[in-house]
Amino acid sequence: MKESFRWYGPKDSVSLDYIRQAGAKNIVSALHDVPNGSVWKVGQIKDYRNYIKNKGLIWTVVESIPVHEDIKQRVGDFEKYIENYKTTILNLASSGIHTICYNFMPVLDWTRTDLYKPLGDGSTALAYETDALCAFDLFVVKRKNANQDYSLKQIRSAQKYFTDLDQESISILTNSIIAGLPGAEEEYTMEEFNMRIEAYANITKETLRSNLIQFLEAIIPTAESCGIRMCIHPDDPPQPLFGIPRVVSNLDDLNRLFSAVPSLNNGLTFCTGSFGVLAENNLLEMFTKHADRIHFLHLRSTQRDGKGNFFEANHLEGDVDMYTMVKAALIEENRRKSKGRKDFEIPMRPDHGHQMLDDLNKKTNPGYSAIGRLRGLAEIRGLAIGIKRNEN
C-alpha cells in the first residue's frame, strides 16, 4: 500500500516536514482555497504539487473536489458545475495526478456530535451520539416536520438530553456538527444550514441516487479519456441525517452504483470506519465484491455500542477487523500486479486519530492531529509487514 497522510495545506498545523518524519511519502490534499464549483486551474495545481514535491513528498490523491449542491439536487447551474468538474479532472491529469476522492453527502461532509470525546487513557476521539443529533435537529435547528423522522422513544430521549444542556454545551454541539468540519470546505450559519436542509425536503433516496448516477454518466467518460480514477467516499455516518437520504452506505448501494456506471474509472474509496458503523455491513464481502475498483483506502476503526452511538477507536481495536482488511488489500495488490495493472499499489491513509500526548495542547483539525495518525500509520505498517512475512 502507498502510505499516505492527509494534509490541509500550508496553514495546517501538521506540516509536510512532520508528515515526512512519519514515514509517509504520499500526500492526500486539495486546493482548499478554490470555491466549490470553480475550476482548478493548471497553474494552481502545479504550484501546489511543486510545493509538496520540494518537501520530498508526492501529491498522490486529491481529496476532495467538492461536488456542488446544485449537482446533487440537479437545480440551478448544475450543468455549468459539471462542466467545471470535468475541466478540473482534465487539468489534474495533465498535471500528473490521477486519483480523485469525492463524496455525494448532501449539505455536510462527515458528521460527529463530539469532536473531543474524553477516553479512559486521557486522549480524545471523534464521536457520534444519536440523542445529541436528534436533540440538535428537533430543538436547535427546529427542522420542519423533524418529529416525523423519529420514534416517540427517540424524541423523549432527545428531549431529556437537550434539557440537561446549558447554553455553552448547545454552542459546542452546534459547532461540532456544522461549523467548519474538515473537508466540508464551507461553514454554515444556522440560517444557512436550515436553508440547505430545506432544499432537500422533496428529494427521495431514489432521486438522490439518480442524481449521482447522472453526474457520473457525465464525468466518467472524461475520467476514462485521461486515466483519472474517481473514487467515491461512503456516507459518514451511513444513515439519513436531518431527513436527507444517503446513497453510499451499504453493499446494495455499491452494487446499484457500479451496475449503473460499470467503468472501472468509477471507483471507490473504501473507508473501513464509515462502512463499519453499520453492524450489518460485512466489510470483507463488500471489499471482495468490488476489489478491482477500490482506488483508495481509509483505514480506521469505530466502536459501536449497539444503540446507534459510536466513537473512533484505535486503529487496531474497535469493531473493524483490521487484520482481515489489510490482508484483503494486500491480496488485491498482488492480484493486480500479476495482471500487469500499473495501479497495483493502492494509496492508503490512516484515517482520523486520537488527539493525544503533546497534541492535546495544540489546535488541529479534529481527527487530524499528528501523533494519533502517526500511531495509526505505525500500527498498520507493522500489521502489513507481519502479514507479508507470514505468507512468505
Side-chain angles (χ1 to χ4, degrees):
M1 297 177 288
K2 289 185 178 179
E3 296 179 0
S4 311
F5 241 57
R6 189 163 188 183
W7 181 61
Y8 284 94
K11 296 180 182 178
D12 194 333
S13 60
V14 181
S15 68
L16 292 175
D17 292 330
Y18 290 173
I19 293 173
R20 191 173 64 249
Q21 291 174 35
K25 294 180 173 57
N26 300 278
I27 296 299
V28 177
S29 195
L31 300 184
H32 296 285
D33 293 334
V34 177
N36 289 359
S38 298
V39 172
W40 292 16
K41 298 178 181 178
V42 171
Q44 294 173 306
I45 295 168
K46 289 186 175 179
D47 286 347
Y48 199 71
R49 182 202 62 190
N50 289 337
Y51 182 91
I52 294 170
K53 183 178 180 180
N54 289 337
K55 292 290 186 177
L57 300 167
I58 305 168
W59 187 10
T60 302
V61 178
V62 169
E63 185 179 355
S64 300
I65 308 176
V67 179
H68 197 279
E69 291 297 307
D70 282 9
I71 295 175
K72 297 172 188 174
Q73 299 170 40
R74 290 188 77 79
V75 297
D77 292 329
F78 77 90
E79 290 175 317
K80 180 188 78 173
Y81 293 128
I82 289 176
E83 289 306 309
N84 287 353
Y85 209 101
K86 289 160 68 175
T87 300
T88 295
I89 288 173
L90 291 170
N91 290 346
L92 283 164
S94 71
S95 302
I97 302 168
H98 291 90
T99 304
I100 298 174
C101 172
Y102 70 103
N103 72 72
F104 214 75
M105 292 180 261
V107 184
L108 289 173
D109 202 312
W110 57 267
T111 301
R112 301 291 186 271
T113 59
D114 191 345
L115 304 181
Y116 304 100
K117 175 182 174 63
L119 301 180
D121 61 4
S123 64
T124 67
L126 302 172
Y128 179 91
E129 187 173 352
T130 55
D131 281 349
L133 195 288
C134 182
F136 179 75
D137 191 10
L138 291 168
F139 310 120
V140 180
V141 178
K142 299 179 181 177
R143 177 171 60 90
K144 183 179 179 180
N145 299 322
N147 61 336
Q148 296 179 9
D149 293 325
Y150 302 104
S151 67
L152 182 59
K153 181 179 179 181
Q154 287 175 312
I155 294 173
R156 287 174 176 171
S157 185
Q159 177 71 68
K160 182 180 184 305
Y161 179 93
F162 185 73
T163 301
D164 292 339
L165 297 179
D166 57 22
Q167 194 56 48
E168 181 181 4
S169 298
I170 294 172
S171 178
I172 292 173
L173 176 61
T174 300
N175 289 335
S176 296
I177 295 174
I178 71 170
L181 285 171
E185 312 302 336
E186 296 178 295
E187 295 183 1
Y188 301 134
T189 65
M190 188 56 63
E191 181 180 2
E192 291 169 336
F193 187 62
N194 269 289
M195 291 175 60
R196 294 292 183 111
I197 292 174
E198 183 62 27
Y200 283 88
N202 297 316
I203 293 182
T204 65
K205 182 170 184 175
E206 287 309 311
T207 299
L208 186 63
R209 192 195 314 277
S210 175
N211 293 350
L212 169 57
I213 290 171
Q214 290 181 78
F215 168 64
L216 289 169
E217 288 173 338
I219 69 165
I220 291 302
T222 300
E224 288 177 328
S225 73
C226 61
I228 285 283
R229 295 175 287 272
M230 299 296 302
C231 37
I232 193 166
H233 189 286
D235 303 320
D236 188 9
Q239 60 195 45
L241 296 177
F242 304 106
I244 302 174
R246 302 280 196 155
V247 292
V248 192
S249 295
N250 54 41
L251 182 57
D252 179 65
D253 289 337
L254 297 182
N255 291 341
R256 296 176 68 171
L257 180 62
F258 298 137
S259 293
V261 187
S263 169
L264 285 183
N265 295 77
N266 176 28
L268 175 65
T269 295
F270 198 95
C271 179
T272 57
S274 296
F275 285 137
V277 167
L278 288 182
E280 57 267 34
N281 277 344
N282 184 321
L283 300 192
L284 181 59
E285 178 187 11
M286 296 171 74
F287 187 101
T288 303
K289 177 69 179 293
H290 297 293
D292 58 346
R293 65 176 71 246
I294 294 172
H295 303 314
F296 188 27
L297 291 168
H298 285 184
L299 298 184
R300 63 180 171 89
S301 185
T302 52
Q303 182 67 61
R304 306 183 300 264
D305 71 350
K307 301 176 183 178
N309 310 313
F310 65 88
F311 68 90
E312 308 271 4
N314 287 314
H315 287 75
L316 301 188
E317 300 171 15
D319 293 308
V320 172
D321 183 348
M322 197 61 71
Y323 170 87
T324 296
M325 299 315 301
V326 170
K327 184 175 181 179
L330 296 176
I331 290 172
E332 172 59 17
E333 287 188 330
N334 287 335
R335 187 192 69 81
R336 293 184 187 185
K337 189 174 183 179
S338 69
K339 297 292 185 180
R341 280 180 58 166
K342 294 180 180 180
D343 65 340
F344 69 90
E345 283 189 289
I346 304 173
M348 173 280 297
R349 69 174 178 85
D351 194 14
H352 303 170
H354 292 169
Q355 193 149 357
M356 57 194 302
L357 304 177
D358 290 350
D359 282 344
L360 288 167
N361 302 313
K362 297 176 183 177
K363 181 175 176 57
T364 64
N365 286 323
Y368 289 91
S369 56
I371 300 173
R373 287 186 293 158
L374 172 62
R375 174 179 174 174
L377 179 61
E379 290 178 336
I380 292 167
R381 178 187 295 143
L383 178 59
I385 291 173
I387 292 171
K388 290 178 181 177
R389 291 189 175 178
N390 184 60
E391 291 183 346
N392 291 333

